[in-house]
Amino acid sequence: MEISIEQIKTYSLQLLGALNKLLKQLDNTATPLTQIDIKHMIASSANRLFIARCLDNKEIIGMLTMIIFRIPFAKKGLLEDIVVDKTYRKKGVGTKLIAAAVNQAREEGVTHLDFTSRSTRVAANNLYQRLGFKKRDTNIYRIIL
């Protein structure tokens, strides 16, 4: 199976269905994306939306969003919503998605990438560590608005 990784720069109807299918696998309580949501994501200068595509059938089988932003001490990146379709897991798709994001971050002068992953996602957490990501000793806080 051949896989291509693409950074999405234009909206398509195929994209809407595929991203919502993947999003549901990541979090079955997630609110489905709309055409407007995806267009805003693509248009944002901070966002980089990557997809993995199976070249055999042109199906979108994975996604990752990278947000790049400047703070006073660094240019940082944040990875979000890393997911591979359940039928394509353990085939190197996640590795290729993350490698594409890391390469793009380097090209853009990002000093480091951060992301979070639930501890229950054992296989995913093992992958991140194999790819060189280190677990941080930090607290994560959130306020629901």
Side-chain angles (χ1 to χ4, degrees):
M1 173 182 68
E2 274 193 78
I3 299 163
S4 72
I5 305 298
E6 306 163 28
Q7 184 179 343
I8 297 298
K9 299 195 179 198
T10 58
Y11 174 80
S12 73
L13 196 54
Q14 180 198 27
L15 193 61
L16 178 64
L19 294 189
N20 277 321
K21 178 182 174 188
L22 290 166
L23 189 60
K24 201 72 164 161
Q25 291 181 42
L26 184 65
D27 181 347
N28 64 5
T29 65
T31 302
L33 295 164
T34 66
Q35 175 181 336
I36 299 295
D37 294 330
I38 296 172
K39 286 182 176 182
H40 282 268
M41 286 171 47
I42 294 168
S44 169
S45 63
N47 287 346
R48 315 295 183 273
L49 176 60
F50 293 90
I51 58 111
R53 187 184 302 275
C54 176
L55 293 179
D56 299 339
N57 59 14
K58 307 295 185 218
E59 183 180 1
I60 295 171
I61 60 171
M63 72 174 177
L64 173 153
T65 304
M66 178 170 63
I67 302 99
I68 295 177
F69 54 99
R70 180 80 175 126
I71 60 172
F73 77 90
K75 188 174 187 182
K76 292 177 66 172
L78 180 63
L79 300 180
E80 289 287 344
D81 298 336
I82 304 167
V83 61
V84 173
D85 185 280
K86 61 187 171 199
T87 60
Y88 292 92
R89 291 180 187 158
K90 299 189 187 255
K91 298 181 187 308
V93 178
T95 298
K96 288 183 178 186
L97 275 167
I98 292 168
V102 168
N103 289 337
Q104 183 68 35
R106 279 191 181 116
E107 285 179 22
E108 295 191 43
V110 171
T111 59
H112 55 279
L113 288 171
D114 290 322
F115 65 95
T116 62
S117 183
R118 287 184 220 111
S119 58
T120 57
R121 299 184 69 215
V122 175
N125 282 287
N126 289 336
L127 168 66
Y128 306 143
Q129 291 175 40
R130 277 195 316 273
L131 294 176
F133 288 88
K134 305 289 183 223
K135 196 170 183 182
R136 293 182 64 196
D137 183 24
T138 187
N139 297 321
I140 297 176
Y141 297 92
R142 173 177 290 165
I143 186 170
I144 304 296
L145 304 174

